[in-house]
Amino acid sequence: MEKESRPKLKILFAASECAPFAKVGGLADMISSLSRSLSKLGHELRVVIPFYSTIDKSLHDFQFLGSACVHMGCKTEHWIGLYESSLDNHLRLWLIDYADYFHRRGIYDEPSGEYKDNAYRFGFFSKAVLEICKEMVWIPDVFHVHDWPTSVLCAFLKLWPQLLSPFKNSRSVLTIHNICYQGKYDAMVLPYLGIDWSLFSPDRFEDHGQVNLLKAGIAYSDFITTVSPTYAKEILEPSGGAGLSEFLKKRASELVGILNGVDTDSWNPKTDPWIACPFDATDLQGKQACKTALQEKLGLKKSLDIPIVSMVSRLHDQKGISLLIPVLPKALIQENFQFVLLGEGKKEYEDFFKSLSREFPGQVSANIGFSEELAHQIFAGSDFFLMPSFYEPCGLGQLYAQLYGTIPIARATGGIIDSVEDIRKDPKGSGFLFDEPSASALGELLKTALDCWKNRPDLIQAAQKNGMGKNFSWELAAKKYEEVYFKILPKKSS
Ligand code: ADP
Ligand code: GLC
């Protein structure tokens, strides 16, 4: 009874990515799934992202809602267009159109590296979110911002002249998806952001002579979350906090780790439209058909007896590719397995995988690029999923893999610890884990997993079934976020 009388909130998500409109990594999936789950709990949601010119206009409908003026510092004004589309028919997505900043080929980067004006682009976007709320007279109870691109919104919210502020009862939550990306830039952006130099201090915006946008978010948000309980502990340690652990510790009592979930409307082997044959835990025949289809599609030798080890990942240092480089060529000679990669990122990593596929034709398939469809087919058709991450705030790959009966071979870190147990130690386990971030530890584990494939089918089947039976429920996570929101909202006097 008590639950039913809980107030329905107006919640705004401000983010730089949202699947399927604009995706670089797991952030995009988290934004669309969590917002959907919160809206299913009865709350009124708006998700706001920049209107990147790369968004495919043929796949979605967009309605023009109007224009608005965004006031930045130094009396700079930008006119923006506001568009609306939808996630799931009923959940509204707002897109802020400003050509100078968002009509580009990439979201964060150009081929030569990060866009030089990212602090301006996303600082502007964060301010624009507030301006459109005012313009549309839609005042959220909670602004929920994600990572450095929108974290400065928390500061704008608190610094808005309070007497006149339409937002005086609004609160903000910052979710840290990856503390290693902080948005550190030249301090000369402050006047453009309209931030007074007096706030360029180590307890607010300043970090070793630069502006740190994530730090400002930590300072000004009303609550901080991150994407797994273990990562919440890791970022409070100097080894995991990327220079912000001491600062974050001051707010440790307002920090919580909530494990991401899986959107089973999009990631479900029983209903996935992209895979060759549907399957579930009670009948894995379909998975075998998916494996054959994958081998055929990628030009690998067709055989159900050869295990496929795969990886779908951004190719960045975080993901542990440097551990894999000394291991893979030797293992491909010594062990009988196929290797499939889908990913893009750092050129030296892309080159390594390309040369590996030239060296091992029919045994290695290196797919450099981004493809949602191929990602689903790889999760469905593989036997093992490799994730040797140095750190992993949550990680969605290992969640999807488990639900598709693909066994993670992964490093025990962050959200991987919270979502995979080692089948060698735990009968309920669904993966193989290694601790020490070294090539030798990874190499040994890969060998162990492949030995088990050959000699311990009982263990392999148990791991598969355990993984497929897991419930990575977004509903559960959404309820935890709801608790956070209720905790910080001003208590209404009745
Ligand atoms: P991160 O967000 O750090 O990149 P996650 O494991 O949380 O790591 O999420 C990665 C998401 O991005 C998964 O949905 C994965 O399938 C997807 N992904 C990564 N690289 C590619 C790619 N090249 N093509 C398609 N999907 C990809
Ligand atoms: C970040 C993290 C990843 C997490 C994702 C979604 O990209 O690197 O571990 O799963 O955000 O929260």
Side-chain angles (χ1 to χ4, degrees):
M1 282 307 277
E2 200 200 316
K3 259 194 190 142
E4 278 165 25
S5 64
R6 284 193 137 190
K8 299 302 170 207
L9 303 177
K10 286 185 174 158
I11 304 164
L12 182 143
F13 273 31
S16 50
E17 299 178 35
C18 177
F21 294 82
K23 171 165 169 173
V24 173
L27 170 65
D29 293 17
M30 190 277 193
I31 297 298
S32 55
S33 339
L34 176 60
S35 56
R36 262 192 210 122
S37 304
L38 284 164
S39 122
K40 280 184 194 154
L41 292 181
H43 301 294
E44 195 180 338
L45 266 287
R46 296 282 184 282
V47 177
V48 191
I49 60 171
F51 203 161
Y52 303 107
S53 53
T54 45
I55 291 176
D56 190 341
K57 316 278 180 310
S58 66
L59 294 181
H60 315 278
D61 288 330
F62 297 95
Q63 196 196 336
F64 179 67
L65 295 185
S67 316
C69 184
V70 179
H71 302 89
M72 301 305 292
C74 312
K75 298 202 165 37
T76 312
E77 293 183 345
H78 300 301
W79 279 91
I80 57 154
L82 177 64
Y83 289 80
E84 180 171 296
S85 189
S86 63
L87 283 164
D88 251 12
N89 298 325
H90 57 281
L91 199 162
R92 293 195 198 172
L93 176 76
W94 280 350
L95 302 106
I96 291 178
D97 193 29
Y98 186 65
D100 281 0
Y101 285 153
F102 300 118
H103 291 196
R104 301 184 184 184
R105 280 170 56 198
I107 291 185
Y108 311 109
D109 304 320
E110 53 192 332
S112 59
E114 203 192 352
Y115 289 121
K116 302 273 178 304
D117 57 351
N118 271 351
Y120 293 77
R121 298 170 74 222
F122 290 104
F124 154 79
F125 173 69
S126 302
K127 188 74 190 291
V129 170
L130 292 176
E131 302 267 14
I132 58 166
C133 288
K134 199 173 124 218
E135 197 65 30
M136 300 297 291
V137 202
W138 194 83
I139 307 301
D141 296 299
V142 179
F143 286 91
H144 190 156
V145 307
H146 300 264
D147 274 350
W148 72 265
T150 49
S151 55
V152 70
L153 189 153
C154 306
F156 291 144
L157 194 63
K158 282 269 181 332
L159 298 171
W160 199 288
Q162 282 303 301
L163 265 182
L164 304 171
S165 175
F167 304 118
K168 44 180 183 295
N169 291 321
S170 303
R171 297 291 179 266
S172 64
V173 174
L174 162 68
T175 293
I176 301 175
H177 295 257
N178 190 335
I179 204 163
C180 291
Y181 297 92
Q182 297 179 3
K184 281 203 231 178
Y185 299 104
D186 193 299
M188 285 318 292
V189 68
L190 280 183
Y192 173 75
L193 296 180
I195 302 293
D196 194 90
W197 282 108
S198 64
L199 299 173
F200 188 55
S201 59
D203 59 337
R204 298 287 171 193
F205 278 85
E206 193 267 348
D207 186 356
H208 294 86
Q210 287 187 297
V211 154
N212 184 327
L213 296 177
L214 187 68
K215 186 177 190 185
I218 294 171
Y220 285 98
S221 56
D222 291 297
F223 209 91
I224 303 158
T225 72
T226 186
V227 288
S228 71
T230 298
Y231 195 59
K233 289 185 207 136
E234 288 174 353
I235 57 180
L236 290 176
E237 297 301 323
S239 54
L244 286 181
S245 60
E246 284 310 311
F247 190 67
L248 201 51
K249 259 188 200 154
K250 295 185 193 141
R251 302 218 48 202
S253 61
E254 294 146 318
L255 165 71
V256 69
I258 301 173
L259 190 72
N260 285 335
V262 170
D263 177 359
T264 45
D265 290 340
S266 310
W267 294 94
N268 183 347
K270 271 196 271 189
T271 53
D272 193 325
W274 278 319
I275 66 177
C277 189
F279 60 94
D280 62 23
T282 60
D283 181 8
L284 289 171
Q285 291 272 320
K287 183 163 175 72
Q288 300 210 327
C290 291
K291 177 168 175 176
T292 308
L294 185 67
Q295 288 172 324
E296 200 164 75
K297 177 168 181 162
L298 300 181
L300 299 169
K301 186 177 166 202
K302 267 209 283 184
S303 163
L304 290 176
D305 298 330
I306 307 175
I308 301 182
V309 178
S310 67
M311 200 165 175
V312 178
S313 181
R314 289 184 295 116
L315 301 181
H316 288 283
D317 295 341
Q318 171 195 350
K319 300 297 176 179
I321 321 287
S322 59
L323 301 180
L324 206 51
I325 291 177
V327 167
L328 264 185
K330 239 188 276 166
L332 282 160
I333 294 168
Q334 289 168 356
E335 313 287 335
N336 185 25
F337 72 102
Q338 297 175 339
F339 180 75
V340 171
L341 168 97
L342 170 62
E344 60 184 354
K346 215 168 168 179
K347 187 169 177 311
E348 65 174 276
Y349 297 148
E350 292 185 356
D351 289 346
F352 164 73
F353 289 116
K354 280 193 226 159
S355 79
L356 207 63
S357 71
R358 281 193 297 269
E359 206 179 321
F360 296 93
Q363 194 183 357
V364 172
S365 167
N367 305 276
I368 306 300
F370 191 94
S371 164
E372 199 69 33
E373 181 175 340
L374 183 56
H376 283 244
Q377 292 164 350
I378 293 174
F379 282 111
S382 308
D383 300 292
F384 293 103
F385 188 74
L386 209 51
M387 221 162 154
S389 310
F390 283 110
Y391 70 91
E392 198 56 77
C394 175
L396 297 177
Q398 84 281 10
L399 307 185
Y400 300 152
Q402 290 175 85
L403 296 185
Y404 280 69
T406 299
I407 302 171
I409 299 175
R411 169 123 196 287
T413 179
I416 295 176
I417 293 178
D418 298 329
S419 59
V420 182
E421 305 78 30
D422 195 315
I423 185 70
R424 294 169 301 169
K425 295 180 190 149
D426 181 345
K428 292 213 178 71
S430 55
F432 292 87
L433 297 177
F434 70 109
D435 284 311
E436 188 194 298
S438 72
S440 60
L442 169 61
E444 260 170 52
L445 188 70
L446 178 61
K447 191 172 174 330
T448 305
L450 292 169
D451 282 348
C452 282
W453 166 269
K454 237 186 345 202
N455 305 316
R456 293 289 311 273
D458 56 317
L459 214 58
I460 295 296
Q461 278 158 18
Q464 269 185 324
K465 289 241 152 103
N466 291 340
M468 291 184 84
K470 287 197 172 175
N471 176 12
F472 297 117
S473 155
W474 262 119
E475 194 191 337
L476 205 74
K479 287 188 173 150
K480 291 185 181 161
Y481 280 101
E482 199 184 40
E483 269 172 41
V484 168
Y485 303 151
F486 284 123
K487 208 180 280 184
I488 55 174
L489 282 172
K491 303 279 169 279
K492 291 210 172 91
S493 48
S494 47

